[in-house]
Amino acid sequence: MNTPKPEVRYFTHADVPRIRQALIDIHADAYADAMDDEFNQRFPWFVDHWGGNPAFACVIAFEGETPVAFAYGAPARPYREWWREYLTDVPEKHETFAFSELAVRTEYRGTGTARLVTRALLEERAEDLVVLLVDTEHPKVQAVYESWGFEKVGERRPFPDSPVCAVMLAELPLRP
């Protein structure tokens, strides 16, 4: 697909009521083939949970006025970085951004849009590190994160009904 580069817009906790449905719609499109999974059906709860954090940060890519992708997260609580339990050599740096979610509408996959929103979300972060979880059943997605500088440091199941996820950590800024 030869699409122009989408425009990225930045949002905060205060914007959640206005962007909530766009996030849900993008997620539903991105996971259309897996929406019968109860974990995926709970996505609106995750939007409300993360969006309720006063430090919530979100970027949405728009094609015209159509939202096509998003990435969001929030800073982890200082000195309570759960990812440390997976490391023997813990980095001295500790301020961590928890990258919670990335979703791209199916027709925009393979266009660089995932990279665009990820970079936009993380490029100006003040934290030293970024952590995320990725389903271990999706090794191609894990490989993409590795190409951006993330390293798998362990595995965890964050919720009883969630998939087993690779715990991935990277220093900020991400490598080019």
Side-chain angles (χ1 to χ4, degrees):
M1 171 192 250
N2 188 11
T3 349
K5 183 178 170 182
E7 174 196 356
V8 175
R9 299 179 196 164
Y10 296 82
F11 300 94
T12 67
H13 163 76
D15 300 307
V16 172
R18 187 164 55 96
I19 65 171
R20 182 179 188 273
Q21 192 60 51
L23 299 177
I24 292 168
D25 292 346
I26 294 167
H27 181 269
D29 182 272
Y31 291 91
D33 60 347
M35 285 308 290
D36 58 338
D37 182 308
E38 287 183 32
F39 184 75
N40 287 331
Q41 293 172 7
R42 286 200 348 245
F43 181 71
W45 178 87
F46 287 99
V47 171
D48 296 339
H49 171 75
W50 283 90
N53 184 323
F56 174 78
C58 178
V59 297
I60 301 176
F62 287 84
E63 188 66 47
E65 290 304 309
T66 304
V68 300
F70 70 81
Y72 70 68
R77 291 184 190 185
Y79 302 103
R80 295 191 60 200
E81 297 88 1
W82 54 266
W83 53 262
R84 289 177 176 269
E85 68 191 65
Y86 298 98
L87 303 176
T88 43
D89 294 325
V90 179
E92 205 172 291
K93 298 176 178 182
H94 67 86
E95 290 184 18
T96 308
F97 184 78
F99 184 179
S100 176
E101 192 73 40
L102 166 67
V104 179
R105 289 188 185 271
T106 52
E107 69 180 274
Y108 283 83
R109 290 185 184 156
T111 65
T113 304
R115 185 176 201 269
L116 174 72
V117 294
T118 298
R119 298 276 174 183
L121 178 66
L122 300 176
E123 68 187 359
E124 300 295 323
R125 297 300 318 168
E127 294 83 10
D128 304 308
L129 305 164
V130 57
V131 66
L132 60 81
L133 300 174
V134 62
D135 186 338
T136 57
E137 297 289 317
H138 299 286
K140 288 182 182 178
V141 176
Q142 184 176 320
V144 168
Y145 284 120
E146 288 169 345
S147 75
W148 296 344
F150 286 86
E151 178 184 349
K152 180 180 175 181
V153 297
E155 290 184 357
R156 81 182 290 156
R157 183 183 307 271
F159 297 94
D161 63 341
S162 71
V164 174
C165 295
V167 177
M168 303 192 75
L169 188 66
E171 285 192 25
L172 289 174
L174 292 180
R175 64 179 178 222

